[in-house]
Amino acid sequence: GQSLEQPSEVTAVEGAIVQINCTYQTSGFYGLSWYQQHDGGAPTFLSYNALDGLEETGRFSSFLSRSDSYGYLLLQELQMKDSASYFCSGGGSYIPTFGRGTSLIVHP
Amino acid sequence: NAGVTQTPKFQVLKTGQSMTLQCAQDMNHNSMYWYRQDPGMGLRLIYYSASEGTTDKGEVPNGYNVSRLNKREFSLRLESAAPSQTSVYFCASSEPARVDTQYFGPGTRLTVL
């Protein structure tokens, strides 16, 4: 089977840095993706790591270590609008699997 | 470009009724997907279509059928709705062999009484 584990909730203050971890057990793993979903909205794609290492996109960075079956999403200079759920996703072939999501709560 | 569109946005059904959820994309993507999202459960794949003319079961296909009408459209049908199918349904699409980057529609919020 395939599974991705991530914390259910993370809290932080505005302006801080927060890391959301994701560990996975998947067969035929192709890479790790991250999505953001605001309450009542649709998931939107944030980043994808096919290779080990860090990918940076503005305030967001994502990291993958295949040897450790582990990745994380790093959010810097947190803003109130970053309060949302974040999902990691991976899998094999055409069958993506999503983690259960991490609810990020940003406090003023 | 509208991206991925879904209709209806909201729907209330009685147990045993049937309905079809519609999805269309204008990004010329080959692959399309149907997910359901329940509180605390993340996104679970119901069915997917890797390309026009093909459909395959995902993680939770029971109680659902799909039709890939053409390259743009992928519909999801509930033949006899059950309360356990109360959920938010999302359609998504991706470029060929790029399941890692999916584009989601706005969702359909379905309640079965």
Side-chain angles (χ1 to χ4, degrees), chain B residues 24-45:
Chain B
Q25 53 90 11
D26 63 2
M27 295 176 283
N28 203 36
H29 286 167
N30 276 7
S31 302
M32 298 185 73
Y33 314 83
W34 275 106
Y35 295 90
R36 61 177 289 172
Q37 185 175 38
D38 303 295
M41 294 297 293
L43 291 152
R44 292 184 292 170
L45 184 64

Side-chain angles (χ1 to χ4, degrees), chain B residues 62-108:
Chain B
N62 290 348
Y64 305 95
N65 286 301
V66 291
S67 294
R68 183 73 183 266
L69 305 170
N70 47 55
K71 190 172 185 178
R72 290 186 64 248
E73 299 172 287
F74 188 37
S75 63
L76 178 71
R77 182 160 178 85
L78 287 71
E79 290 290 352
S80 179
S84 60
Q85 294 177 304
T86 293
S87 188
V88 181
Y89 291 85
F90 288 102
C91 177
S93 70
S94 71
E95 293 179 2
R98 289 304 306 272
V99 64
D100 49 86
T101 307
Q102 299 193 23
Y103 298 86
F104 285 81
T108 294

